Amino acid sequence: MNSSPLQPKSLIVCPGAVAAQVTVAYDRMVLDCPLSWLAGPESQLLAQGSTLVHNENGALLHGTHLLAGVLLGKGAQSLEEESCELYRRMFAITHGLNRYRLWNYVPRINDRIAGVENYVAFNAGRHRAFIEQFGGIHPRELSAASALGSTGGTVALVFIAGPDPVKHYENPLQIPAAHYPECYGKNAPLFARGSRVHAPDGSTSWYLSGTASIRGCASIGADFSHQLQITLENIQRMLVEMEVPVARHAAWNVFLRDRRDLEICRQRLADTFPDDVHQMTFLEADICRSDLLLEIEASFRTLPHQKAAS
Ligand code: 3EB
């Protein structure tokens, strides 16, 4: 069904599905994500635009200053091939635009196939697509991202892109992921720790990448509470680096490997970011490194310039 292009359309991410799938109905494009919802808002609005187009491999949302989309793997021979093909498609679709934010959902991310962990195979495919596209790895092409394990189905890639200027950030407490040594996989993960976008209407968006208990390149923290502490320190450092103002709208996603850690996690986050407690979604998901027990991502936004009241 085609609806009026004047009607705002939304890209929404919803957990709780069996396999990643995109449904488009009237004014909504929904990515059903195979992660378990635990607490907080049950769906998240990622982007709004004016036109939706879709086929069996994904959906795109066009707005005046935005192109957002969900792309699903077509079931290639291997996870590496499927990941490479998804990134090729995404690069073609976003050609000439800046990429603001990416989400990677990798089925059974910590399982091994023929001795290779699925996350390692995913990184190999992503790396190949970057080299094909840019001839090398350039920091200006690395945007904020998250990589989560899903319970099944194909790889899913969600992106937000557009023409507005974007600045990418790294965390001085962490080695840029693109420089991780080979012990974390032959091909490094390719993302920035955060990205900031200024829109022409005066609004600003900050995207904080999936943040975990990593210092330098090493996973640290033997138990959940310690990993949470390190993760929060990484986040606080990024909020300073990116100059995220105190007065802003926030939306958080907290991914827990084990749902039994929910209460301690909720309490600590409520103590640390009391104004944001109602904007935190808690999900159960596998994290890309098998020794990591949680990952936290967020986006922040300030409103367009207000016209002076007359
Ligand atoms: C890390 O810092 C944790 O592979 O796209 C976080 C965000 C992580 C994005 C990705 C991985 C990715 O290395 C994992």
Side-chain angles (χ1 to χ4, degrees):
M1 176 178 170
N2 284 326
S3 50
S4 156
L6 298 174
Q7 178 82 23
K9 313 289 195 306
S10 306
L11 165 58
I12 293 164
V13 177
C14 256
V18 176
Q21 76 173 31
V22 187
T23 50
V24 175
Y26 188 49
D27 60 349
R28 295 155 67 92
M29 154 170 132
V30 177
L31 169 65
D32 292 303
C33 246
L35 312 174
S36 302
W37 172 86
L38 299 175
E42 285 184 52
S43 66
Q44 213 157 66
L45 174 67
L46 281 195
Q48 284 197 306
S50 50
T51 317
L52 279 175
V53 288
H54 67 110
N55 62 25
E56 66 275 24
N57 298 311
L60 300 178
L61 171 67
H62 295 265
T64 34
H65 272 271
L66 180 113
L67 175 60
V70 179
L71 303 177
L72 300 178
K74 295 175 182 172
Q77 295 260 306
S78 66
L79 187 64
E80 174 178 342
E81 203 54 55
E82 186 167 294
S83 310
C84 182
E85 188 271 335
L86 268 176
Y87 267 80
R88 274 190 200 127
R89 246 196 291 158
M90 186 274 293
F91 285 140
I93 290 167
T94 60
H95 185 78
L97 298 175
N98 294 318
R99 284 165 291 279
Y100 304 157
R101 192 24 166 131
L102 301 174
W103 287 266
N104 305 287
Y105 297 96
V106 180
R108 291 176 294 278
I109 195 166
N110 303 129
D111 283 9
R112 286 168 186 271
I113 293 174
V116 180
E117 193 180 31
N118 282 337
Y119 180 56
V120 172
F122 163 78
N123 274 315
R126 171 166 60 180
H127 197 272
R128 185 141 55 88
F130 265 90
I131 298 291
E132 280 178 19
Q133 181 71 25
F134 304 111
I137 305 303
H138 308 295
R140 65 177 180 275
E141 303 295 351
L142 302 179
S143 33
S146 301
L148 282 314
S150 59
T151 48
T154 67
V155 184
L157 176 58
V158 178
F159 65 86
I160 302 179
D164 298 335
V166 57
K167 182 171 177 191
H168 306 299
Y169 294 85
E170 288 299 328
N171 185 338
L173 302 173
Q174 301 184 289
I175 290 177
H179 300 165
Y180 284 169
E182 282 198 15
C183 58
Y184 298 104
K186 186 167 170 16
N187 300 112
L190 299 175
F191 65 95
R193 301 288 173 194
S195 299
R196 184 209 63 200
V197 184
H198 286 312
D201 66 6
S203 66
T204 302
S205 299
W206 292 263
Y207 297 103
L208 173 72
S209 291
T211 306
S213 183
I214 295 176
R215 280 292 154 75
C217 59
S219 313
I220 59 172
D223 60 22
F224 182 83
S225 178
H226 190 200
Q227 286 203 6
L228 178 56
Q229 176 62 31
I230 301 296
T231 302
L232 290 174
E233 288 172 17
N234 281 335
I235 290 171
Q236 301 280 19
R237 183 62 191 251
M238 283 304 293
L239 297 180
V240 172
E241 290 293 317
M242 296 200 292
E243 299 175 282
V244 178
V246 178
R248 77 285 186 276
H249 293 266
W252 298 80
N253 282 315
V254 181
F255 303 95
L256 304 178
R257 188 180 287 281
D258 187 336
R259 62 177 67 200
R260 287 172 296 185
D261 294 322
L262 176 62
E263 282 319 314
I264 171 179
C265 189
R266 253 175 126 166
Q267 192 57 56
R268 282 292 303 283
L269 279 165
D271 292 345
T272 314
F273 300 102
D275 295 343
D276 297 342
V277 276
H278 300 297
Q279 278 76 46
M280 293 179 179
T281 294
F282 294 82
L283 301 150
E284 190 173 47
D286 288 337
I287 318 296
C288 54
R289 288 188 191 178
S290 54
D291 51 8
L292 294 175
L293 302 174
L294 79 151
E295 183 171 306
I296 301 178
E297 63 175 38
S299 54
F300 307 96
R301 197 176 148 83
T302 54
L303 293 175
H305 295 311
Q306 299 287 314
K307 293 231 168 66
S310 53

